[in-house]
């Protein structure tokens, strides 16, 4: 069985979509080909990979409640390709939005279901994830925590370090539980080429705390970019 | 200000101009959003890509009424129209708030009155439902008080619907 996993974030690096795809990949068997969809130049290469594929998994950011425009352009080409070559694919989607509610991905999922109808390929469903940026933040935290743990090991504080690291890992695991569960269920359906249905989940942080963290995130991002509040709220 | 965003052939721009203050034609001659958030944090309400959409968010931000005329694409806007919406998030700020009981961003230019989406081209019943829902969601996201979605059987209906 051949699965093509398409990371459709337009970012060159540091994207959440690719990271989520990596997690989902652990649950798949068979040949897995990873592709990156950023520009028109990627279309032909990816379409060629689809020719003998059984399953295709898209992972993308939610843009303005829907599919990012560069992905829509690819979908139009893919529709023609599916019809021309009579492809028998099963399609799944993982989408992640910046807002905390996973259900904000609902319209995007409907668009992909409509797309599958047009292409006459199988709609496998997928996962709509809220709080995507936090997934990235947690990825960074994991690296930081691991670094600190190694430092403590070097300084001989094995027991204390282990306890602290264990606690930190548990907290990170808790925040991911919804995502892991959905990936586990969707992965099982992917292996059988069945429809998984659509699931919505989120990073398990209360909304109000998430909003404060999102504000802090953009303040820090601005600082890293060399300044703060350069007319953030001004009518330009 | 009334703004019309459309992906029809160029000849329609002149006709539509008579019914609004600004017409934006989605001709597809611009790059898609790169997802950098620079239009929020680094150079607010401005995209780092110096093409025709460099400051398009300011025009959409100032619209009291926005009419979008688009080809249907699986229950969504055409890629050329969606590209403009994606490149317009600078009309909001990086700060978060609650709108319609869900998380959204605060609006740089305040609330708008009406979002009207007119879609043409072959459309299944399911796509029609999806598009109506999408337009509703976009209206909340971009801060419109009211919204409507009109599937057009043919472009002959255009003048009647836009007026
Ligand atoms: C142009 C643009 C539009 C966006 N619109 C939404 C949206 O409507 N709802 C949402 O929850 N997140 C929205 N986001 C946030 C992204 O979905 C979020 O940052 C995501 O984690 C990015 O994923 P990536 O790193 O894989 O590209 C938008 C981001 C951009 C750049």
């Amino acid at each position: 069985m051949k699965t093509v996993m398409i990371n459709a974030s337009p970012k060159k690096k540091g994207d959440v979509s690719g990271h989520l795809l990596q997690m989902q990949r652990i649950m798949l068997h068979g040949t897995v080909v990873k592709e990156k969809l950023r520009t028109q130049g990627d279309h032909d290469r990816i379409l060629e990979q689809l020719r003998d594929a059984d399953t295709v998994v898209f992972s993308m950011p939610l843009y303005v409640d829907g599919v990012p425009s560069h992905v829509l352009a690819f979908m139009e080409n893919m529709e023609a390709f599916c019809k021309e070559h009579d492809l028998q694919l099963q399609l799944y989607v993982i989408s992640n939005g910046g807002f905390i509610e996973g259900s904000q991905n609902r319209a995007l999922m409907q668009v992909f279901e409509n797309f599958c109808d047009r292409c006459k390929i199988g709609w496998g469903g997928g996962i709509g994830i809220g709080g995507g940026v936090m997934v990235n933040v947690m990825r960074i935290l994991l690296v930081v925590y691991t670094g600190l743990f190694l430092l403590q090991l070097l300084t001989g504080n094995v027991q204390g370090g282990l306890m602290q690291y264990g606690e930190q890992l548990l907290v990170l695991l808790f925040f991911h539980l919804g995502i892991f569960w959905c990936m586990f269920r969707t992965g099982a359906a992917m292996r059988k080429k069945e429809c998984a249905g659509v699931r919505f989940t989120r990073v398990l942080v209360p909304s109000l705390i998430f909003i404060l963290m999102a504000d802090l995130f953009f303040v820090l991002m601005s600082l890293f970019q060399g300044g703060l509040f350069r007319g953030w709220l001004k009518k330009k | 200000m009334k703004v019309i965003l459309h992906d029809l052939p160029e000849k329609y721009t002149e006709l539509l101009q008579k019914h609004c203050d600004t017409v934006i034609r989605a001709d597809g001659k611009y790059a898609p959003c790169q997802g950098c958030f620079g239009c929020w944090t680094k150079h607010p309400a401005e995209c780092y890509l110096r093409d025709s959409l460099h400051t398009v968010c300011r025009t959409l931000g100032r619209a009291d009424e926005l009419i979008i005329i688009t080809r249907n694409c699986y229950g969504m806007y055409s890629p050329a129209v969606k590209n403009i919406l994606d490149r317009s998030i600078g009309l909001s700020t990086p700060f978060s708030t609650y709108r319609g009981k869900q998380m959204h961003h605060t609006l740089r230019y305040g609330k708008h009155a009406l979002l009207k989406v007119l879609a043409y081209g072959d459309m299944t019943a399911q796509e029609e439902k999806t598009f109506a829902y999408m337009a509703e969601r976009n209206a909340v996201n971009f801060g419109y008080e009211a919204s409507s979605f009109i599937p057009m059987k043919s472009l002959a209906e255009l003048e009647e619907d836009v007026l």
Side-chain angles (χ1 to χ4, degrees):
Chain A
M1 176 147 136
K2 176 179 172 183
T3 305
V4 179
M5 297 192 116
I6 304 174
N7 172 1
S9 169
K11 290 180 194 159
K12 282 196 183 130
K13 54 179 190 314
D15 50 276
V16 181
S17 305
H19 182 53
L20 292 169
L21 217 46
Q22 196 69 35
M23 291 191 211
Q24 187 68 77
R25 196 235 172 284
I26 299 169
M27 291 158 208
L28 299 183
H29 305 317
T31 313
V32 178
V33 177
K34 280 196 227 151
E35 285 291 351
K36 179 89 183 149
L37 170 58
R38 289 188 60 243
T39 67
Q40 201 89 26
D42 297 318
H43 290 195
D44 287 347
R45 194 191 67 245
I46 300 175
L47 291 177
E48 270 318 307
Q49 284 294 350
L50 293 182
R51 203 188 272 275
D52 59 346
D54 301 283
T55 304
V56 56
V57 186
F58 280 91
S59 180
M60 72 192 66
L62 178 68
Y63 275 11
V64 195
D65 306 298
V67 182
S69 66
H70 71 287
V71 184
L72 272 176
F74 175 78
M75 287 160 76
E76 291 202 305
N77 280 342
M78 182 172 158
E79 183 190 341
F81 192 82
C82 283
K83 286 178 175 161
E84 191 184 336
H85 301 282
D86 193 22
L87 297 191
Q88 305 294 316
L89 285 167
Q90 184 83 351
L91 183 147
Y92 302 86
V93 176
I94 301 170
S95 68
N96 86 91
F99 300 142
I100 186 67
E101 301 87 4
S103 59
Q104 294 213 32
N105 293 276
R106 195 184 303 278
L108 178 146
M109 290 292 169
Q110 288 181 11
V111 169
F112 268 95
E113 189 172 356
N114 300 338
F115 169 69
C116 289
D117 281 349
R118 290 261 180 196
C119 297
K120 301 202 173 19
I121 59 174
W123 166 234
I127 316 171
I129 299 167
V133 180
M134 258 303 269
V135 176
N136 245 358
V137 172
M138 290 192 292
R139 177 161 58 152
I140 296 166
L141 280 179
L142 180 65
V143 175
V144 172
Y145 291 159
T146 309
L148 288 176
F149 172 57
L150 291 176
L151 263 180
Q152 280 184 316
L153 285 189
L154 283 178
T155 53
N157 182 12
V158 179
Q159 204 183 353
L162 206 60
M163 284 291 284
Q164 196 184 9
Y165 189 50
E167 258 174 43
Q168 288 163 338
L169 287 189
L170 275 179
V171 172
L172 290 187
L173 177 72
F174 173 77
F175 289 150
H176 277 95
L177 277 182
I179 299 174
F180 285 158
W181 174 245
C182 291
M183 285 194 168
F184 176 70
R185 297 298 304 271
T186 308
M190 283 174 181
R191 289 195 297 273
K192 289 186 240 155
K193 232 182 141 176
E194 283 173 358
C195 179
V198 175
R199 292 185 171 82
F200 298 111
T201 186
R202 59 189 272 175
V203 171
L204 298 182
V205 176
S207 300
L208 194 63
I209 295 175
F210 182 84
I211 285 185
L212 292 174
M213 286 184 353
D215 288 346
L216 181 67
F217 171 82
F218 283 114
V219 170
L220 289 177
M221 187 170 165
S222 193
L223 273 179
F224 278 118
Q225 287 169 339
L228 193 58
F229 304 129
R230 287 161 279 208
W232 270 23
L233 310 178
K234 272 206 194 104
K235 290 184 177 153
K236 297 262 175 169
Chain B
M1 183 166 83
K2 184 170 171 180
V3 177
I4 298 182
L5 163 58
H6 76 93
D7 61 2
L8 299 167
E10 178 64 50
K11 63 175 188 202
Y12 284 91
T13 300
E14 209 176 309
L15 167 80
L16 295 168
Q17 196 85 60
K18 293 185 197 131
H19 302 297
C20 67
D21 302 291
T22 307
V23 177
I24 305 171
R25 179 161 177 264
D27 59 12
K29 292 179 189 152
Y30 33 71
C33 171
Q34 304 296 302
C36 69
F37 291 127
C39 59
W40 278 345
T41 54
K42 203 168 179 181
H43 29 70
E46 195 179 309
C47 181
Y48 87 95
L49 296 165
R50 302 219 159 239
D51 56 15
S52 59
L53 304 185
H54 178 51
T55 56
V56 74
C57 69
R58 300 179 184 187
T59 312
L60 292 195
R62 288 198 165 80
D64 305 304
E65 196 178 328
L66 173 63
I67 299 181
I68 302 178
I69 304 163
T70 175
R71 176 169 60 80
N72 164 53
C73 186
Y74 317 115
M76 238 190 102
Y77 310 95
S78 65
V81 168
K82 184 59 175 29
N83 198 335
I84 296 183
L85 298 181
D86 290 351
R87 292 274 299 273
S88 294
I89 59 163
L91 64 79
S92 54
T93 81
F95 287 120
S96 303
T97 182
Y98 263 89
R99 208 162 39 245
K101 295 191 185 142
Q102 283 187 322
M103 183 182 167
H104 286 286
H105 288 284
T106 63
L107 302 163
R108 186 182 306 282
Y109 300 91
K111 284 230 169 198
H112 317 262
L114 175 68
L115 171 70
K116 204 164 163 182
V117 179
L118 313 177
Y120 65 91
D122 176 30
M123 201 177 322
T124 64
Q126 199 49 48
E127 285 171 349
E128 202 173 307
K129 269 194 205 157
T130 302
F131 216 147
Y133 179 57
M134 181 75 72
E136 215 176 272
R137 299 289 319 153
N138 291 158
V140 176
N141 207 349
F142 278 176
Y144 283 84
E145 307 270 11
S147 68
S148 68
F149 170 70
I150 304 167
M152 289 190 294
K153 299 257 173 320
S154 83
L155 284 177
E157 287 175 33
L158 193 60
E159 215 156 348
E160 176 187 326
D161 289 330
V162 171
L163 282 171

